[in-house]
Amino acid sequence: MGKTDLDGARAQLAAIARLDRMLEANGLAYWLFGGWAVDFHVGALTRAHGDIDVAVWSHDRERVAALLDEDAWRHAAEPGEDGYTCYERDAIRIDVAFLARDESGRVYTPLRAGRGEWPRDSFGNDRLELLGVRARVISLAALVAEKSVVHDDPQTIAKDRADLTALQRHK
């Protein structure tokens, strides 16, 4: 990682710490997923990240939005959002995915045309630490499943391959 990437990672890590304190203090469950979840599972910075991916329960959507607004995060909705929304503060971006649970207990992201399924046992109480910052993260099995999905975008494919390699080395 270059100095600019490292500075960006430190700023994002500080935002994760702040988000953790804010949500935990208000009794709101959340989980990191995506690249930052990889770093927390590995216990090291593995690559630069363009955003912070966070999942929260759909029924907490308004409370989370209000807390982010109070903390100077600006809602930065993207055209075509489906199952998530975005917030920005300074040069940091948070993508917030929403979760629901069906009658059988399966967790999914509600979408306009159906639902995005999450692996069983994705959302436990695991709190991991990275460079002095503690955060809730999705399970390792769910993270590997997430990173194993084949995408069309070459950049996403490259990031997912790098993330899977980092996770395999960590085992």
Side-chain angles (χ1 to χ4, degrees), residues 10-78:
R10 286 184 180 129
Q12 287 178 332
L13 201 52
I16 291 168
R18 187 178 187 119
L19 187 65
D20 176 73
R21 286 189 303 271
M22 179 176 63
L23 296 176
E24 290 288 322
N26 285 279
L28 297 170
Y30 80 93
W31 295 266
L32 292 179
F33 66 100
W36 275 108
V38 171
D39 288 3
F40 273 83
H41 275 285
V42 170
L45 297 173
T46 61
R47 63 174 174 83
H49 302 288
D51 60 14
I52 300 166
D53 298 309
V54 178
V56 300
W57 293 111
S58 292
H59 58 79
D60 290 332
R61 181 181 192 143
E62 296 306 318
R63 287 180 63 204
V64 169
L67 288 169
L68 289 170
D69 184 60
E70 288 173 20
D71 198 38
W73 289 89
R74 181 182 62 81
H75 189 215
E78 293 183 331

Short mmCIF file of all heavy atoms in Angstrom, two decimals, residues 10-78:
data_model
loop_
_atom_site.label_atom_id
_atom_site.label_comp_id
_atom_site.label_asym_id
_atom_site.label_seq_id
_atom_site.Cartn_x
_atom_site.Cartn_y
_atom_site.Cartn_z
N ARG A 10 -6.49 4.50 6.94
CA ARG A 10 -6.57 4.99 8.33
C ARG A 10 -7.84 5.80 8.54
O ARG A 10 -8.51 5.67 9.58
CB ARG A 10 -5.34 5.81 8.68
CG ARG A 10 -4.11 4.99 8.90
CD ARG A 10 -2.94 5.85 9.34
NE ARG A 10 -1.76 5.04 9.54
CZ ARG A 10 -0.58 5.32 9.01
NH1 ARG A 10 -0.40 6.40 8.28
NH2 ARG A 10 0.44 4.52 9.22
N ALA A 11 -8.19 6.63 7.57
CA ALA A 11 -9.41 7.44 7.68
C ALA A 11 -10.65 6.55 7.68
O ALA A 11 -11.58 6.76 8.46
CB ALA A 11 -9.47 8.46 6.54
N GLN A 12 -10.66 5.55 6.83
CA GLN A 12 -11.79 4.62 6.79
C GLN A 12 -11.87 3.80 8.07
O GLN A 12 -12.96 3.57 8.60
CB GLN A 12 -11.70 3.70 5.58
CG GLN A 12 -12.00 4.41 4.27
CD GLN A 12 -11.85 3.47 3.08
OE1 GLN A 12 -11.09 2.51 3.10
NE2 GLN A 12 -12.58 3.77 2.01
N LEU A 13 -10.73 3.39 8.58
CA LEU A 13 -10.70 2.63 9.83
C LEU A 13 -11.22 3.48 10.99
O LEU A 13 -11.97 2.99 11.84
CB LEU A 13 -9.28 2.13 10.09
CG LEU A 13 -9.10 0.95 11.03
CD1 LEU A 13 -9.98 -0.23 10.64
CD2 LEU A 13 -7.65 0.53 11.05
N ALA A 14 -10.87 4.76 11.02
CA ALA A 14 -11.40 5.67 12.04
C ALA A 14 -12.91 5.81 11.89
O ALA A 14 -13.64 5.86 12.89
CB ALA A 14 -10.72 7.03 11.94
N ALA A 15 -13.39 5.83 10.65
CA ALA A 15 -14.83 5.91 10.42
C ALA A 15 -15.53 4.64 10.90
O ALA A 15 -16.63 4.69 11.47
CB ALA A 15 -15.12 6.15 8.94
N ILE A 16 -14.89 3.49 10.71
CA ILE A 16 -15.46 2.22 11.20
C ILE A 16 -15.55 2.25 12.73
O ILE A 16 -16.56 1.86 13.31
CB ILE A 16 -14.63 1.02 10.71
CG1 ILE A 16 -14.80 0.85 9.19
CG2 ILE A 16 -15.03 -0.27 11.44
CD1 ILE A 16 -13.82 -0.12 8.55
N ALA A 17 -14.50 2.74 13.39
CA ALA A 17 -14.50 2.83 14.85
C ALA A 17 -15.63 3.75 15.32
O ALA A 17 -16.36 3.43 16.27
CB ALA A 17 -13.15 3.34 15.36
N ARG A 18 -15.78 4.87 14.65
CA ARG A 18 -16.83 5.84 15.01
C ARG A 18 -18.22 5.23 14.78
O ARG A 18 -19.12 5.37 15.61
CB ARG A 18 -16.63 7.08 14.16
CG ARG A 18 -17.50 8.22 14.50
CD ARG A 18 -17.17 9.42 13.60
NE ARG A 18 -17.90 10.56 14.04
CZ ARG A 18 -17.36 11.67 14.47
NH1 ARG A 18 -16.06 11.80 14.51
NH2 ARG A 18 -18.11 12.66 14.86
N LEU A 19 -18.38 4.55 13.66
CA LEU A 19 -19.65 3.89 13.34
C LEU A 19 -19.97 2.82 14.37
O LEU A 19 -21.11 2.71 14.85
CB LEU A 19 -19.56 3.29 11.94
CG LEU A 19 -20.82 2.70 11.35
CD1 LEU A 19 -21.87 3.78 11.13
CD2 LEU A 19 -20.50 2.02 10.02
N ASP A 20 -18.97 2.03 14.74
CA ASP A 20 -19.15 0.99 15.76
C ASP A 20 -19.64 1.60 17.07
O ASP A 20 -20.61 1.13 17.65
CB ASP A 20 -17.84 0.23 15.97
CG ASP A 20 -17.96 -0.80 17.08
OD1 ASP A 20 -18.61 -1.83 16.86
OD2 ASP A 20 -17.40 -0.55 18.17
N ARG A 21 -18.96 2.64 17.53
CA ARG A 21 -19.36 3.28 18.80
C ARG A 21 -20.79 3.81 18.72
O ARG A 21 -21.58 3.63 19.64
CB ARG A 21 -18.40 4.42 19.15
CG ARG A 21 -17.05 3.97 19.65
CD ARG A 21 -16.21 5.12 20.20
NE ARG A 21 -16.01 6.19 19.24
CZ ARG A 21 -15.00 6.24 18.37
NH1 ARG A 21 -14.10 5.26 18.34
NH2 ARG A 21 -14.87 7.26 17.55
N MET A 22 -21.12 4.46 17.62
CA MET A 22 -22.43 5.08 17.46
C MET A 22 -23.55 4.03 17.42
O MET A 22 -24.55 4.15 18.13
CB MET A 22 -22.44 5.91 16.17
CG MET A 22 -23.76 6.59 15.88
SD MET A 22 -23.66 7.63 14.40
CE MET A 22 -23.31 6.42 13.12
N LEU A 23 -23.38 3.01 16.62
CA LEU A 23 -24.43 2.00 16.50
C LEU A 23 -24.55 1.15 17.76
O LEU A 23 -25.65 0.87 18.23
CB LEU A 23 -24.19 1.14 15.26
CG LEU A 23 -24.29 1.89 13.92
CD1 LEU A 23 -23.95 0.97 12.76
CD2 LEU A 23 -25.65 2.53 13.74
N GLU A 24 -23.42 0.74 18.32
CA GLU A 24 -23.45 -0.05 19.55
C GLU A 24 -24.08 0.74 20.70
O GLU A 24 -24.87 0.19 21.46
CB GLU A 24 -22.04 -0.51 19.92
CG GLU A 24 -21.46 -1.56 18.99
CD GLU A 24 -22.10 -2.93 19.14
OE1 GLU A 24 -22.42 -3.34 20.26
OE2 GLU A 24 -22.28 -3.60 18.10
N ALA A 25 -23.75 2.02 20.84
CA ALA A 25 -24.30 2.85 21.91
C ALA A 25 -25.81 3.00 21.79
O ALA A 25 -26.49 3.24 22.79
CB ALA A 25 -23.64 4.23 21.90
N ASN A 26 -26.33 2.83 20.57
CA ASN A 26 -27.76 2.96 20.34
C ASN A 26 -28.46 1.62 20.18
O ASN A 26 -29.62 1.57 19.75
CB ASN A 26 -28.00 3.86 19.12
CG ASN A 26 -27.75 5.31 19.46
OD1 ASN A 26 -28.61 5.97 20.03
ND2 ASN A 26 -26.55 5.80 19.16
N GLY A 27 -27.75 0.55 20.51
CA GLY A 27 -28.35 -0.78 20.48
C GLY A 27 -28.71 -1.28 19.09
O GLY A 27 -29.63 -2.09 18.94
N LEU A 28 -27.99 -0.82 18.07
CA LEU A 28 -28.28 -1.22 16.69
C LEU A 28 -27.23 -2.20 16.19
O LEU A 28 -26.03 -1.92 16.23
CB LEU A 28 -28.31 0.01 15.78
CG LEU A 28 -29.41 1.02 16.12
CD1 LEU A 28 -29.22 2.30 15.33
CD2 LEU A 28 -30.78 0.42 15.83
N ALA A 29 -27.71 -3.34 15.73
CA ALA A 29 -26.80 -4.36 15.19
C ALA A 29 -26.35 -3.95 13.79
O ALA A 29 -27.11 -3.36 13.02
CB ALA A 29 -27.51 -5.70 15.13
N TYR A 30 -25.10 -4.25 13.49
CA TYR A 30 -24.55 -4.02 12.16
C TYR A 30 -23.46 -5.05 11.93
O TYR A 30 -22.96 -5.66 12.88
CB TYR A 30 -23.96 -2.60 12.04
CG TYR A 30 -22.59 -2.51 12.66
CD1 TYR A 30 -21.45 -2.70 11.88
CD2 TYR A 30 -22.42 -2.34 14.03
CE1 TYR A 30 -20.18 -2.68 12.46
CE2 TYR A 30 -21.17 -2.31 14.61
CZ TYR A 30 -20.05 -2.48 13.81
OH TYR A 30 -18.81 -2.48 14.39
N TRP A 31 -23.09 -5.23 10.67
CA TRP A 31 -21.99 -6.11 10.33
C TRP A 31 -21.24 -5.55 9.14
O TRP A 31 -21.85 -5.14 8.14
CB TRP A 31 -22.52 -7.51 9.94
CG TRP A 31 -23.17 -8.21 11.07
CD1 TRP A 31 -22.59 -9.10 11.93
CD2 TRP A 31 -24.54 -8.09 11.48
NE1 TRP A 31 -23.51 -9.53 12.85
CE2 TRP A 31 -24.72 -8.93 12.59
CE3 TRP A 31 -25.63 -7.35 11.02
CZ2 TRP A 31 -25.94 -9.05 13.25
CZ3 TRP A 31 -26.85 -7.47 11.67
CH2 TRP A 31 -26.98 -8.32 12.77
N LEU A 32 -19.91 -5.54 9.22
CA LEU A 32 -19.09 -5.23 8.06
C LEU A 32 -19.11 -6.44 7.15
O LEU A 32 -19.08 -7.59 7.61
CB LEU A 32 -17.63 -4.97 8.46
CG LEU A 32 -17.30 -3.74 9.28
CD1 LEU A 32 -15.81 -3.71 9.58
CD2 LEU A 32 -17.73 -2.47 8.57
N PHE A 33 -19.13 -6.19 5.86
CA PHE A 33 -18.93 -7.25 4.88
C PHE A 33 -18.02 -6.66 3.79
O PHE A 33 -17.51 -5.56 3.94
CB PHE A 33 -20.26 -7.81 4.35
CG PHE A 33 -21.10 -6.85 3.55
CD1 PHE A 33 -21.11 -6.88 2.17
CD2 PHE A 33 -21.93 -5.93 4.18
CE1 PHE A 33 -21.90 -6.02 1.43
CE2 PHE A 33 -22.74 -5.06 3.46
CZ PHE A 33 -22.71 -5.09 2.07
N GLY A 34 -17.74 -7.40 2.76
CA GLY A 34 -16.87 -6.88 1.71
C GLY A 34 -15.41 -6.83 2.12
O GLY A 34 -14.97 -7.57 3.01
N GLY A 35 -14.67 -5.94 1.49
CA GLY A 35 -13.22 -5.87 1.68
C GLY A 35 -12.77 -5.59 3.10
O GLY A 35 -11.78 -6.16 3.56
N TRP A 36 -13.48 -4.71 3.81
CA TRP A 36 -13.07 -4.43 5.19
C TRP A 36 -13.29 -5.66 6.08
O TRP A 36 -12.50 -5.90 7.01
CB TRP A 36 -13.78 -3.20 5.75
CG TRP A 36 -13.06 -1.96 5.38
CD1 TRP A 36 -13.43 -1.01 4.47
CD2 TRP A 36 -11.79 -1.54 5.88
NE1 TRP A 36 -12.48 -0.03 4.38
CE2 TRP A 36 -11.45 -0.32 5.23
CE3 TRP A 36 -10.89 -2.06 6.79
CZ2 TRP A 36 -10.27 0.37 5.49
CZ3 TRP A 36 -9.71 -1.36 7.05
CH2 TRP A 36 -9.41 -0.17 6.41
N ALA A 37 -14.32 -6.45 5.81
CA ALA A 37 -14.51 -7.68 6.59
C ALA A 37 -13.34 -8.62 6.36
O ALA A 37 -12.88 -9.30 7.29
CB ALA A 37 -15.83 -8.35 6.22
N VAL A 38 -12.83 -8.65 5.13
CA VAL A 38 -11.64 -9.47 4.83
C VAL A 38 -10.49 -9.02 5.72
O VAL A 38 -9.83 -9.83 6.39
CB VAL A 38 -11.25 -9.37 3.34
CG1 VAL A 38 -9.89 -10.03 3.08
CG2 VAL A 38 -12.32 -9.99 2.46
N ASP A 39 -10.22 -7.71 5.75
CA ASP A 39 -9.12 -7.20 6.55
C ASP A 39 -9.27 -7.54 8.03
O ASP A 39 -8.29 -7.90 8.69
CB ASP A 39 -8.98 -5.69 6.37
CG ASP A 39 -8.43 -5.30 5.00
OD1 ASP A 39 -8.20 -6.20 4.17
OD2 ASP A 39 -8.24 -4.10 4.77
N PHE A 40 -10.48 -7.41 8.56
CA PHE A 40 -10.70 -7.74 9.97
C PHE A 40 -10.49 -9.24 10.22
O PHE A 40 -9.90 -9.62 11.23
CB PHE A 40 -12.08 -7.30 10.43
CG PHE A 40 -12.12 -5.87 10.92
CD1 PHE A 40 -12.24 -4.82 10.02
CD2 PHE A 40 -12.01 -5.57 12.26
CE1 PHE A 40 -12.25 -3.50 10.45
CE2 PHE A 40 -12.02 -4.26 12.72
CZ PHE A 40 -12.13 -3.22 11.80
N HIS A 41 -10.93 -10.09 9.31
CA HIS A 41 -10.71 -11.54 9.48
C HIS A 41 -9.23 -11.88 9.37
O HIS A 41 -8.73 -12.73 10.12
CB HIS A 41 -11.53 -12.34 8.47
CG HIS A 41 -12.93 -12.62 8.92
ND1 HIS A 41 -13.25 -13.55 9.88
CD2 HIS A 41 -14.10 -12.04 8.56
CE1 HIS A 41 -14.54 -13.56 10.07
NE2 HIS A 41 -15.10 -12.65 9.30
N VAL A 42 -8.53 -11.24 8.46
CA VAL A 42 -7.10 -11.50 8.25
C VAL A 42 -6.26 -10.87 9.37
O VAL A 42 -5.21 -11.37 9.74
CB VAL A 42 -6.65 -11.01 6.85
CG1 VAL A 42 -5.14 -11.05 6.70
CG2 VAL A 42 -7.32 -11.84 5.77
N GLY A 43 -6.74 -9.74 9.89
CA GLY A 43 -6.01 -9.03 10.94
C GLY A 43 -4.95 -8.10 10.40
O GLY A 43 -4.00 -7.74 11.11
N ALA A 44 -5.10 -7.71 9.13
CA ALA A 44 -4.13 -6.80 8.49
C ALA A 44 -4.80 -6.08 7.33
O ALA A 44 -5.79 -6.56 6.79
CB ALA A 44 -2.94 -7.61 7.98
N LEU A 45 -4.22 -4.94 6.96
CA LEU A 45 -4.69 -4.25 5.77
C LEU A 45 -4.21 -5.03 4.56
O LEU A 45 -3.01 -5.30 4.43
CB LEU A 45 -4.13 -2.83 5.72
CG LEU A 45 -4.58 -1.90 6.86
CD1 LEU A 45 -3.83 -0.58 6.79
CD2 LEU A 45 -6.08 -1.68 6.82
N THR A 46 -5.13 -5.40 3.68
CA THR A 46 -4.77 -6.23 2.53
C THR A 46 -4.74 -5.45 1.22
O THR A 46 -4.02 -5.83 0.30
CB THR A 46 -5.75 -7.40 2.37
OG1 THR A 46 -7.07 -6.88 2.15
CG2 THR A 46 -5.71 -8.30 3.59
N ARG A 47 -5.55 -4.38 1.14
CA ARG A 47 -5.62 -3.58 -0.09
C ARG A 47 -6.36 -2.29 0.21
O ARG A 47 -6.96 -2.15 1.27
CB ARG A 47 -6.31 -4.35 -1.21
CG ARG A 47 -7.77 -4.69 -0.92
CD ARG A 47 -8.45 -5.33 -2.13
NE ARG A 47 -9.79 -5.79 -1.83
CZ ARG A 47 -10.88 -5.02 -1.84
NH1 ARG A 47 -10.79 -3.73 -2.10
NH2 ARG A 47 -12.07 -5.54 -1.57
N ALA A 48 -6.34 -1.37 -0.74
CA ALA A 48 -7.12 -0.13 -0.61
C ALA A 48 -8.61 -0.46 -0.82
O ALA A 48 -8.95 -1.36 -1.60
CB ALA A 48 -6.66 0.89 -1.64
N HIS A 49 -9.46 0.27 -0.13
CA HIS A 49 -10.90 0.06 -0.25
C HIS A 49 -11.58 1.34 -0.70
O HIS A 49 -11.28 2.42 -0.20
CB HIS A 49 -11.49 -0.35 1.11
CG HIS A 49 -10.87 -1.59 1.67
ND1 HIS A 49 -11.10 -2.84 1.15
CD2 HIS A 49 -9.98 -1.76 2.68
CE1 HIS A 49 -10.40 -3.74 1.83
NE2 HIS A 49 -9.70 -3.10 2.76
N GLY A 50 -12.52 1.20 -1.63
CA GLY A 50 -13.24 2.35 -2.13
C GLY A 50 -14.38 2.79 -1.23
O GLY A 50 -14.85 3.92 -1.33
N ASP A 51 -14.81 1.88 -0.35
CA ASP A 51 -15.94 2.19 0.53
C ASP A 51 -15.93 1.25 1.72
O ASP A 51 -15.07 0.38 1.83
CB ASP A 51 -17.27 2.09 -0.22
CG ASP A 51 -17.52 0.69 -0.79
OD1 ASP A 51 -16.82 -0.27 -0.41
OD2 ASP A 51 -18.42 0.55 -1.63
N ILE A 52 -16.90 1.45 2.58
CA ILE A 52 -17.11 0.59 3.73
C ILE A 52 -18.48 -0.03 3.56
O ILE A 52 -19.48 0.69 3.45
CB ILE A 52 -17.05 1.40 5.05
CG1 ILE A 52 -15.70 2.08 5.21
CG2 ILE A 52 -17.36 0.50 6.25
CD1 ILE A 52 -15.68 3.15 6.30
N ASP A 53 -18.55 -1.36 3.48
CA ASP A 53 -19.82 -2.06 3.32
C ASP A 53 -20.34 -2.48 4.68
O ASP A 53 -19.65 -3.18 5.43
CB ASP A 53 -19.65 -3.30 2.43
CG ASP A 53 -19.20 -2.94 1.02
OD1 ASP A 53 -19.83 -2.06 0.42
OD2 ASP A 53 -18.22 -3.54 0.54
N VAL A 54 -21.57 -2.06 4.99
CA VAL A 54 -22.19 -2.34 6.28
C VAL A 54 -23.60 -2.87 6.04
O VAL A 54 -24.33 -2.34 5.20
CB VAL A 54 -22.28 -1.05 7.13
CG1 VAL A 54 -22.98 -1.31 8.45
CG2 VAL A 54 -20.91 -0.47 7.37
N ALA A 55 -23.99 -3.89 6.77
CA ALA A 55 -25.36 -4.42 6.71
C ALA A 55 -26.06 -4.11 8.02
O ALA A 55 -25.47 -4.26 9.10
CB ALA A 55 -25.33 -5.92 6.46
N VAL A 56 -27.31 -3.66 7.93
CA VAL A 56 -28.15 -3.38 9.10
C VAL A 56 -29.54 -3.95 8.83
O VAL A 56 -29.93 -4.18 7.69
CB VAL A 56 -28.25 -1.86 9.41
CG1 VAL A 56 -26.88 -1.27 9.69
CG2 VAL A 56 -28.96 -1.11 8.30
N TRP A 57 -30.30 -4.14 9.89
CA TRP A 57 -31.67 -4.63 9.74
C TRP A 57 -32.54 -3.55 9.10
O TRP A 57 -32.43 -2.37 9.44
CB TRP A 57 -32.25 -5.04 11.08
CG TRP A 57 -31.56 -6.24 11.65
CD1 TRP A 57 -30.75 -6.27 12.74
CD2 TRP A 57 -31.60 -7.57 11.13
NE1 TRP A 57 -30.28 -7.54 12.92
CE2 TRP A 57 -30.77 -8.37 11.95
CE3 TRP A 57 -32.23 -8.17 10.04
CZ2 TRP A 57 -30.59 -9.73 11.73
CZ3 TRP A 57 -32.05 -9.53 9.81
CH2 TRP A 57 -31.23 -10.29 10.66
N SER A 58 -33.39 -3.96 8.18
CA SER A 58 -34.30 -3.02 7.49
C SER A 58 -35.14 -2.23 8.47
O SER A 58 -35.38 -1.04 8.26
CB SER A 58 -35.22 -3.78 6.53
OG SER A 58 -34.48 -4.30 5.46
N HIS A 59 -35.60 -2.89 9.55
CA HIS A 59 -36.47 -2.18 10.50
C HIS A 59 -35.71 -1.09 11.27
O HIS A 59 -36.34 -0.23 11.90
CB HIS A 59 -37.17 -3.15 11.46
CG HIS A 59 -36.24 -4.01 12.27
ND1 HIS A 59 -35.58 -3.56 13.39
CD2 HIS A 59 -35.87 -5.30 12.09
CE1 HIS A 59 -34.84 -4.53 13.88
NE2 HIS A 59 -34.98 -5.60 13.11
N ASP A 60 -34.37 -1.08 11.19
CA ASP A 60 -33.57 -0.03 11.82
C ASP A 60 -33.15 1.07 10.84
O ASP A 60 -32.42 2.00 11.21
CB ASP A 60 -32.30 -0.63 12.45
CG ASP A 60 -32.59 -1.49 13.66
OD1 ASP A 60 -33.61 -1.23 14.33
OD2 ASP A 60 -31.81 -2.42 13.92
N ARG A 61 -33.63 0.99 9.63
CA ARG A 61 -33.19 1.90 8.56
C ARG A 61 -33.33 3.38 8.95
O ARG A 61 -32.39 4.15 8.79
CB ARG A 61 -34.01 1.62 7.30
CG ARG A 61 -33.64 2.49 6.14
CD ARG A 61 -34.49 2.19 4.92
NE ARG A 61 -33.93 2.83 3.76
CZ ARG A 61 -33.93 2.30 2.56
NH1 ARG A 61 -34.46 1.12 2.34
NH2 ARG A 61 -33.40 2.97 1.55
N GLU A 62 -34.47 3.77 9.47
CA GLU A 62 -34.69 5.19 9.81
C GLU A 62 -33.81 5.63 10.98
O GLU A 62 -33.30 6.74 10.98
CB GLU A 62 -36.17 5.45 10.11
CG GLU A 62 -37.09 5.22 8.91
CD GLU A 62 -36.68 6.01 7.67
OE1 GLU A 62 -36.31 7.19 7.81
OE2 GLU A 62 -36.69 5.43 6.57
N ARG A 63 -33.65 4.76 11.98
CA ARG A 63 -32.79 5.10 13.12
C ARG A 63 -31.34 5.25 12.68
O ARG A 63 -30.64 6.18 13.10
CB ARG A 63 -32.90 4.04 14.21
CG ARG A 63 -34.23 4.10 14.96
CD ARG A 63 -34.35 3.05 16.03
NE ARG A 63 -33.34 3.20 17.08
CZ ARG A 63 -32.92 2.22 17.85
NH1 ARG A 63 -33.41 1.00 17.71
NH2 ARG A 63 -32.01 2.43 18.78
N VAL A 64 -30.88 4.35 11.82
CA VAL A 64 -29.51 4.44 11.31
C VAL A 64 -29.34 5.71 10.50
O VAL A 64 -28.35 6.44 10.67
CB VAL A 64 -29.15 3.18 10.48
CG1 VAL A 64 -27.83 3.37 9.73
CG2 VAL A 64 -29.09 1.94 11.37
N ALA A 65 -30.31 6.02 9.65
CA ALA A 65 -30.24 7.24 8.83
C ALA A 65 -30.17 8.48 9.71
O ALA A 65 -29.38 9.39 9.46
CB ALA A 65 -31.45 7.32 7.89
N ALA A 66 -30.98 8.52 10.77
CA ALA A 66 -30.97 9.68 11.67
C ALA A 66 -29.63 9.82 12.39
O ALA A 66 -29.10 10.93 12.50
CB ALA A 66 -32.11 9.56 12.68
N LEU A 67 -29.06 8.71 12.84
CA LEU A 67 -27.77 8.76 13.52
C LEU A 67 -26.65 9.21 12.57
O LEU A 67 -25.80 10.01 12.95
CB LEU A 67 -27.43 7.40 14.13
CG LEU A 67 -28.24 7.00 15.35
CD1 LEU A 67 -28.01 5.54 15.69
CD2 LEU A 67 -27.91 7.90 16.53
N LEU A 68 -26.67 8.70 11.36
CA LEU A 68 -25.67 9.11 10.39
C LEU A 68 -25.81 10.60 10.07
O LEU A 68 -24.81 11.32 9.99
CB LEU A 68 -25.77 8.26 9.12
CG LEU A 68 -25.30 6.82 9.26
CD1 LEU A 68 -25.68 6.01 8.02
CD2 LEU A 68 -23.81 6.73 9.53
N ASP A 69 -27.03 11.06 9.94
CA ASP A 69 -27.28 12.48 9.68
C ASP A 69 -26.76 13.34 10.83
O ASP A 69 -26.09 14.35 10.61
CB ASP A 69 -28.78 12.72 9.46
CG ASP A 69 -29.07 14.16 9.10
OD1 ASP A 69 -28.56 14.65 8.08
OD2 ASP A 69 -29.83 14.80 9.86
N GLU A 70 -27.03 12.91 12.06
CA GLU A 70 -26.54 13.65 13.24
C GLU A 70 -25.01 13.68 13.29
O GLU A 70 -24.43 14.61 13.85
CB GLU A 70 -27.06 13.01 14.53
CG GLU A 70 -28.53 13.22 14.79
CD GLU A 70 -29.01 12.41 15.98
OE1 GLU A 70 -28.17 12.00 16.81
OE2 GLU A 70 -30.23 12.18 16.07
N ASP A 71 -24.38 12.67 12.71
CA ASP A 71 -22.92 12.57 12.73
C ASP A 71 -22.29 13.16 11.45
O ASP A 71 -21.15 12.84 11.12
CB ASP A 71 -22.51 11.11 12.91
CG ASP A 71 -21.07 10.96 13.37
OD1 ASP A 71 -20.61 11.77 14.20
OD2 ASP A 71 -20.40 10.03 12.86
N ALA A 72 -23.05 13.98 10.74
CA ALA A 72 -22.57 14.71 9.56
C ALA A 72 -22.32 13.84 8.33
O ALA A 72 -21.56 14.23 7.44
CB ALA A 72 -21.33 15.55 9.90
N TRP A 73 -22.94 12.66 8.26
CA TRP A 73 -22.89 11.86 7.05
C TRP A 73 -24.01 12.37 6.14
O TRP A 73 -25.12 12.61 6.59
CB TRP A 73 -23.10 10.38 7.34
CG TRP A 73 -21.94 9.76 8.04
CD1 TRP A 73 -21.74 9.69 9.39
CD2 TRP A 73 -20.80 9.15 7.44
NE1 TRP A 73 -20.55 9.06 9.66
CE2 TRP A 73 -19.96 8.71 8.48
CE3 TRP A 73 -20.42 8.91 6.12
CZ2 TRP A 73 -18.76 8.07 8.25
CZ3 TRP A 73 -19.23 8.26 5.90
CH2 TRP A 73 -18.41 7.85 6.94
N ARG A 74 -23.69 12.53 4.86
CA ARG A 74 -24.67 13.01 3.88
C ARG A 74 -25.21 11.82 3.11
O ARG A 74 -24.45 10.99 2.61
CB ARG A 74 -23.99 13.99 2.94
CG ARG A 74 -24.90 14.59 1.88
CD ARG A 74 -24.15 15.51 0.95
NE ARG A 74 -23.09 14.85 0.19
CZ ARG A 74 -23.28 14.14 -0.93
NH1 ARG A 74 -24.47 13.98 -1.42
NH2 ARG A 74 -22.25 13.57 -1.54
N HIS A 75 -26.54 11.74 3.03
CA HIS A 75 -27.15 10.67 2.23
C HIS A 75 -26.79 10.92 0.77
O HIS A 75 -27.04 12.00 0.24
CB HIS A 75 -28.66 10.65 2.43
CG HIS A 75 -29.31 9.46 1.81
ND1 HIS A 75 -30.56 9.52 1.25
CD2 HIS A 75 -28.89 8.19 1.66
CE1 HIS A 75 -30.88 8.33 0.79
NE2 HIS A 75 -29.87 7.50 1.02
N ALA A 76 -26.17 9.97 0.13
CA ALA A 76 -25.70 10.10 -1.25
C ALA A 76 -26.28 8.96 -2.08
O ALA A 76 -25.55 8.11 -2.61
CB ALA A 76 -24.17 10.08 -1.29
N ALA A 77 -27.60 8.96 -2.17
CA ALA A 77 -28.28 7.89 -2.90
C ALA A 77 -27.81 7.84 -4.35
O ALA A 77 -27.54 8.87 -4.96
CB ALA A 77 -29.79 8.12 -2.85
N GLU A 78 -27.69 6.63 -4.85
CA GLU A 78 -27.30 6.42 -6.24
C GLU A 78 -28.54 6.06 -7.06
O GLU A 78 -29.45 5.42 -6.54
CB GLU A 78 -26.31 5.25 -6.35
CG GLU A 78 -24.98 5.51 -5.73
CD GLU A 78 -24.04 4.33 -5.95
OE1 GLU A 78 -24.49 3.18 -6.07
OE2 GLU A 78 -22.83 4.58 -5.99
#
